[in-house]
Amino acid sequence: MSTKLTAGIVGGGNSAHILVNLCTRNGLDTIVITRRPDEWNTDGVSMRYGNDADVSKRTMYEGGKFVASDDYQLLSTANVIFLCCPVHVQLSLLMQMKPFIHDENTLIGTVFGQARFDKMVKYVFGDKQPCFAFIQIPWICRATKYGEKVDNLGDQNVDIAVSKNVDFAHKNMGWMKYTYTDKSMHANRVSFEHHWFFPSNIVIHPGICYGSHLIDCRDDYFYRNVSPISGACIEQLDAERLKVVHVLNERHKLNVNDHSINQFWTDLWGHKQGANMFQMIRAEATLSSIKVPVDIQYNAQHRFFRDDIPFGLCYIKYVADLLDVKTPFIERVIKWAQTVIGVDYLDEHGRLVKANLPKYYVEDDDPLGIKKGGDHDDDEKEQNGLTVHALDELITTFQRR
């Protein structure tokens, strides 16, 4: 095998633009697999780095030459492959890649992992294929001209989940040092089990969408005008997520990350301890500047629905059912979301409709190697959030204004 690394980048999202620039500038042979290869400037993707309001003060990095194609066969030479796409298309892309991945040392990963990416890779490739997933996207970025230009507002330290069959000193892991503009940034290795239900998109996006629906709030800026109701919805979804985490850790002796969404945001953005989600989202200027399509809370095709319901809340509900943990608010949000999406994930009795959920996690009746039953508290104790009853009171109060 050549000592020079070859990076395969599948998808054309914002992060794909960042990776093309970083990989080519650092000497990696780079292949982009995309449905729109003709729209990529294969002479180089330029990256503007920094978050100064005066864009002229940001640093420009010119990228190197690369290959853009829609031919998955080109991935047969890759040492490391990044999926840069919405979560709901990852399984389909892995299936398209499978015929051309012959080396069990090829690392297959994603710039954003959700709902056990390792289980997805195992479902397609079997036990031996090594994989990884960034638990948070390592950059805050936006492609300003598709296939040609991207803004990187900053790198951030992240956790990277790596499958157990990967030696972190593996020669192919050398790609990690190429994934940051600022080489002082780093990724911490964790297990996939540690970040089973990471407190991020799976509660933030559905919480804001459902909260906006409750008060009929529609705005071009998804985060900037988030309401106290949406903040409370996020915290209640997170409280039920934590109920599942606590049972996994306490009854089954796992080591799943038990940080609340509030704690995660405090650590990530440097907010004061004790701030609620409404306060923290409103205070974060970078997020507040992000525009999304109008009426996103009713757009069934958006990733906030297609990713964060079947690969987010439904996955939590699936594991909760295995553990006999009650998640009434998660069920409430799923039932609302499925009326928007037009797919039934829950039946009239609140049971998951497995035929409409991703096969890689529902085809195993006991994916955690655990058994149902055991003593735990299923009442509505406050756990970094409101009780469902208290949330209903808050909604009623807000609607009277």
Side-chain angles (χ1 to χ4, degrees), residues 99-243:
F100 311 110
I101 307 301
H102 308 298
D103 187 348
E104 290 181 348
N105 289 318
T106 301
L107 282 167
I108 299 175
T110 175
V111 295
F112 183 72
Q114 190 165 295
R116 290 302 297 269
F117 179 74
D118 58 325
K119 296 278 189 179
M120 192 186 298
V121 172
K122 178 180 177 180
Y123 181 81
V124 177
F125 292 94
D127 290 328
K128 295 183 179 180
Q129 197 72 48
C131 63
F132 66 91
F134 285 111
I135 304 303
Q136 310 100 276
I137 296 177
W139 323 273
I140 301 173
C141 60
R142 276 289 180 272
T144 54
K145 185 174 182 181
Y146 184 82
E148 189 169 337
K149 298 178 180 179
V150 64
D151 276 351
N152 181 355
L153 302 180
D155 304 325
Q156 55 186 351
N157 292 332
V158 300
D159 288 345
I160 174 174
V162 182
S163 56
K164 293 178 181 178
N165 55 345
V166 174
D167 177 356
F168 207 56
H170 189 291
K171 58 186 176 181
N172 286 357
M173 292 304 287
W175 61 266
M176 276 185 53
K177 65 185 179 183
Y178 302 124
T179 57
Y180 293 99
T181 308
D182 179 351
K183 295 302 187 297
S184 68
M185 310 302 282
H186 65 280
N188 304 308
R189 182 189 181 180
V190 298
S191 67
F192 276 97
E193 289 83 357
H194 183 65
H195 280 299
W196 221 295
F197 311 116
F198 190 73
S200 181
N201 293 357
I202 59 175
V203 294
I204 291 175
H205 295 156
I208 294 178
C209 287
Y210 185 62
S212 298
H213 156 72
L214 291 175
I215 61 173
D216 197 25
C217 174
R218 305 169 188 232
D219 194 276
D220 287 3
Y221 290 85
F222 187 71
Y223 299 99
R224 185 181 66 183
N225 290 327
V226 66
S227 71
I229 296 298
S230 286
C233 288
I234 292 170
E235 292 178 354
Q236 181 57 37
L237 290 172
D238 195 56
E240 294 188 355
R241 176 191 67 85
L242 284 174
K243 286 173 66 177

Side-chain angles (χ1 to χ4, degrees), residues 277-294:
M277 288 306 299
F278 164 68
Q279 294 166 331
M280 288 192 282
I281 294 174
R282 279 290 189 96
E284 187 45 56
T286 302
L287 290 177
S288 295
S289 65
I290 297 175
K291 292 188 73 170
V292 296
V294 178

